[in-house]
Amino acid sequence: GKKLICVLFFSQLSRVVGAAKNETPQSRTFIRGIQTVTLIPGDGIGPEISNAVMKIFEAAKAPIRWEERNVTAIRGPGGKWMIPPDAKESMDKNKIGLKGPLKTPIAAGHPSMNLLLRKTFDLYANVRPCVSIEGYQTPYTDVNLVTIRENTEGEYSGIEHVIVDGVVQSIKLITEQASKRIAEYAFEYARNNQRASVTAVHKANIMRMSDGLFLRKCREAAEKYKDVKFTEMYLDTVCLNMVQDPTQFDVLVMPNLYGDILSDLCAGLIGGLGVTPSGNIGANGVAIFESVHGTAPDIAGKDLANPTALLLSAVMMLRHMGLHGHAKKIETACFDTIRDRKVLTKDLGGNSKCSEFTEAICQRMKDMD
Amino acid sequence: MVLYRVLSSSPNKPANALQSTLLNMQETIREPMVQDPTQFDVLVMPNLYGDILSDLCAGLIGGLGVTPSGNIGANGVAIFESVHGTAPDIAGKDLANPTALLLSAVMMLRHMGLHGHAKKIETACFDTIRDRKVLTKDLGGNSKCSEFTEAICQRMKDMD
């Protein structure tokens, strides 16, 4: 009865939460039924798309309780920029978060909010599943790939210096630890999500030591996951092939800059940042799912925003938590609404309001029951 | 160097002009490139980005087998080249597609100011491909390299 369901739930969860395989899931929250998730609505259209997601989750009867927090950077003791303590506390407790778009204030010295979050929770993997959306046509069909980007080091270490006037050097930092971590995460993800192959994207022919180290760690990880096929491909070749036939790709793992580029490229293939989900995996079991589009201040508060990206990120979150049934239900309702093409927000080619689009999805789920 | 582009206000579609601004490559160039490459003109960038973008854009028009390339050096030196591989499996079998090298040579003629000849050769090449009667295997046909070459030559004779 209930005990069996709990055991099945638990084992399902352990199977899926790959990154935290060395951690013990918080049994009290998962098995009890209702999981509390930190919600960061964000700025601009953030609050309204967050409301849309909450409404849809409610209609889906997803066992999620939302704990809203703000992450505007504040100056802590010693003048160091940090996220508000209550936001950190909430994430540390709940482990799982959903985040809308954040604007970065232009004030001098103010750090990037996303960078701050990344450093606070050691969000080392940025994961973007890119799947073609029926009803939202792009020049590319049947895209179904995942980009996994190392998000802590590489070309974005921020280490630059002036040699002499007019000559600048920038350090690309690649470490064994970070490379091993991301490589193993990629294989674990592939295994847990029934993906057939992992491709390491690199330029080790040119950057022999840095990309060479990264590639070596991927090869070593591949040895531990013989059930997943491993290939290697130069970044420029990947880009060339990606725009000609993206269906040949599955899971791609790569260092920071290449991931930055490829993840946006792939988002473009399926329709852009407005429809692409994203997840950030951190240390200690933390995972923050987020929409990666901007705050769209020009349409904020006008009930015009498209909540799809945040919704699909929330669906990704449900899968990460092992709640596959609810994930499938919400995702299906969303995709069916888009495929139907009757109620679509402006960016998707329609002229419905955000609330109407949201309601259409909720209605579909009611009809499913 | 910088890239200037017109942005729309929508986070989802980079369509209409509302403001122009400095763009960094990381932000939105990847996505718009595959959604609507027609919005771009000349793009200048540092080495790595160029390595990536040049191949990406070659992919958009059909790949390295049809893309011309030129390298500009100091002291007036310029070397034009096809950037595909040596294709050892079809070497010496009269199966290769000379388009990439031909278009690079056309680029060379333009660089030298020989615009008339450049136009003539380029037109003959494009017309042959558009006609779709004599195409090498990679272009979807089953003609030999020499047949494709002859078709282009014939067109130019007919132009005179």
Side-chain angles (χ1 to χ4, degrees):
Chain A
K2 246 191 205 156
K3 229 184 218 169
L4 180 64
I5 293 168
C6 289
V7 169
L8 287 173
F9 204 98
F10 197 91
S11 67
Q12 175 110 319
L13 179 68
S14 307
R15 192 179 65 80
V16 170
V17 183
K21 66 178 155 95
N22 297 320
E23 263 98 344
T24 318
Q26 300 298 318
S27 41
R28 57 173 169 84
T29 42
F30 290 134
I31 290 177
R32 263 290 132 220
I34 307 288
Q35 166 69 7
T36 306
V37 166
T38 304
L39 175 69
I40 301 162
D43 308 307
I45 58 172
E48 53 203 288
I49 56 176
S50 298
N51 282 337
V53 170
M54 288 194 279
K55 207 160 169 239
I56 291 167
F57 267 52
E58 202 189 316
K61 300 193 189 76
I64 301 291
R65 189 180 78 82
W66 305 100
E67 194 169 86
E68 271 191 54
R69 289 290 182 269
N70 186 315
V71 294
T72 316
I74 59 169
R75 278 222 127 104
K80 196 172 163 207
W81 286 104
M82 53 187 239
I83 66 169
D86 65 339
K88 183 170 189 307
E89 204 183 296
S90 175
M91 270 308 307
D92 285 337
K93 171 171 63 80
N94 298 326
K95 300 294 184 191
I96 311 292
L98 182 68
K99 176 187 152 288
L102 294 176
K103 68 171 189 265
T104 293
I106 337 169
H110 203 290
S112 147
M113 289 316 308
N114 290 313
L115 179 63
L116 207 47
L117 276 171
R118 205 172 306 135
K119 291 223 181 279
T120 306
F121 299 107
D122 196 13
L123 302 176
Y124 65 91
N126 178 256
V127 184
R128 282 202 207 163
C130 292
V131 182
S132 288
I133 299 174
E134 252 190 274
Y136 190 41
Q137 245 197 344
T138 69
Y140 300 89
T141 53
D142 298 318
V143 180
N144 187 349
L145 55 86
V146 184
T147 58
I148 296 182
R149 162 192 178 186
E150 202 291 321
N151 218 1
T152 66
E153 54 175 36
E155 301 81 352
Y156 295 165
S157 306
I159 310 166
E160 294 189 315
H161 42 257
V162 177
I163 307 296
V164 293
D165 227 8
V167 181
V168 174
Q169 274 187 347
S170 190
I171 304 282
K172 167 172 165 162
L173 188 70
I174 296 289
T175 63
E176 177 167 354
Q177 189 207 19
S179 302
K180 181 168 186 274
R181 186 164 64 166
I182 195 72
E184 287 182 355
Y185 178 77
F187 280 98
E188 195 66 32
Y189 179 94
R191 183 182 275 170
N192 292 335
N193 291 275
Q194 291 85 45
R195 308 293 307 204
S197 74
V198 169
T199 301
V201 182
H202 68 99
K203 283 205 71 75
N205 50 339
I206 308 295
M207 282 169 273
R208 295 170 192 271
M209 293 180 81
S210 52
D211 279 3
L213 173 57
F214 179 84
L215 195 55
R216 243 186 350 271
K217 294 300 141 192
C218 289
R219 287 176 182 156
E220 283 168 21
E223 288 300 309
K224 297 196 242 174
Y225 292 84
K226 295 280 195 188
D227 50 319
V228 179
K229 184 172 166 216
F230 174 64
T231 55
E232 309 169 0
M233 204 182 274
Y234 295 135
L235 173 64
D236 43 351
T237 309
V238 171
C239 288
L240 179 76
N241 290 334
M242 186 64 78
V243 297
Q244 296 191 293
D245 178 22
T247 66
Q248 63 190 286
F249 295 103
D250 194 341
V251 176
L252 302 158
V253 63
M254 61 218 98
N256 213 335
L257 174 70
Y258 309 160
D260 190 8
I261 295 167
L262 263 185
S263 61
D264 268 17
L265 180 83
C266 295
L269 299 176
I270 63 161
L273 300 183
V275 295
T276 306
S278 179
N280 299 286
I281 308 303
N284 301 316
V286 168
I288 302 181
F289 300 84
E290 62 171 349
S291 56
V292 285
H293 52 67
T295 55
D298 52 313
I299 59 166
K302 297 183 183 172
D303 197 17
L304 293 171
N306 176 3
T308 302
L310 189 64
L311 184 63
L312 293 179
S313 301
V315 164
M316 205 179 153
M317 178 190 83
L318 287 172
R319 290 200 165 106
H320 180 85
M321 297 164 74
L323 294 164
H324 297 278
H326 290 93
K328 191 74 194 163
K329 188 163 147 185
I330 295 171
E331 187 186 61
T332 304
C334 178
F335 283 165
D336 285 353
T337 304
I338 296 174
R339 186 188 303 116
D340 203 30
R341 296 194 64 73
K342 291 209 185 74
V343 186
L344 295 175
T345 48
K346 190 149 176 269
D347 60 301
L348 291 174
N351 49 23
S352 297
K353 296 198 167 77
C354 174
S355 52
E356 292 169 335
F357 181 71
T358 305
E359 183 51 40
I361 295 174
C362 292
Q363 192 54 51
R364 274 183 198 278
M365 285 188 299
K366 286 196 191 99
D367 296 342
M368 282 183 205
D369 291 332
Chain B
M1 300 296 287
V2 300
L3 300 171
Y4 287 92
R5 193 175 72 79
V6 286
L7 285 178
S8 81
S9 56
S10 158
N12 303 327
K13 265 214 170 81
N16 308 307
L18 273 188
Q19 49 179 302
S20 58
T21 184
L22 264 168
L23 245 202
N24 55 41
M25 211 173 105
Q26 154 217 341
E27 250 168 28
T28 50
I29 194 156
R30 293 256 147 256
E31 186 199 330
M33 186 64 84
V34 294
Q35 296 187 299
D36 177 24
T38 66
Q39 62 190 291
F40 296 101
D41 197 339
V42 176
L43 302 160
V44 60
M45 62 216 93
N47 212 335
L48 175 71
Y49 307 157
D51 189 10
I52 297 166
L53 263 186
S54 60
D55 270 17
L56 181 94
C57 295
L60 295 176
I61 63 161
L64 301 182
V66 295
T67 305
S69 182
N71 299 283
I72 310 303
N75 300 319
V77 167
I79 302 180
F80 299 84
E81 61 171 349
S82 54
V83 285
H84 52 68
T86 55
D89 52 316
I90 60 168
K93 296 182 182 169
D94 197 16
L95 292 172
N97 176 4
T99 302
L101 189 63
L102 184 63
L103 293 179
S104 300
V106 164
M107 206 178 152
M108 177 190 79
L109 287 172
R110 288 202 166 105
H111 180 82
M112 297 162 76
L114 295 164
H115 297 281
H117 287 88
K119 190 74 192 161
K120 187 162 149 183
I121 295 169
E122 188 187 60
T123 303
C125 178
F126 283 165
D127 285 354
T128 304
I129 295 175
R130 186 187 303 114
D131 204 29
R132 297 195 65 74
K133 291 208 182 74
V134 187
L135 294 176
T136 48
K137 191 148 175 270
D138 62 303
L139 291 174
N142 47 25
S143 299
K144 294 196 165 76
C145 175
S146 51
E147 292 167 338
F148 180 71
T149 306
E150 183 51 38
I152 296 176
C153 294
Q154 191 54 51
R155 275 184 197 277
M156 284 189 296
K157 284 197 192 98
D158 296 342
M159 282 183 207
D160 290 331

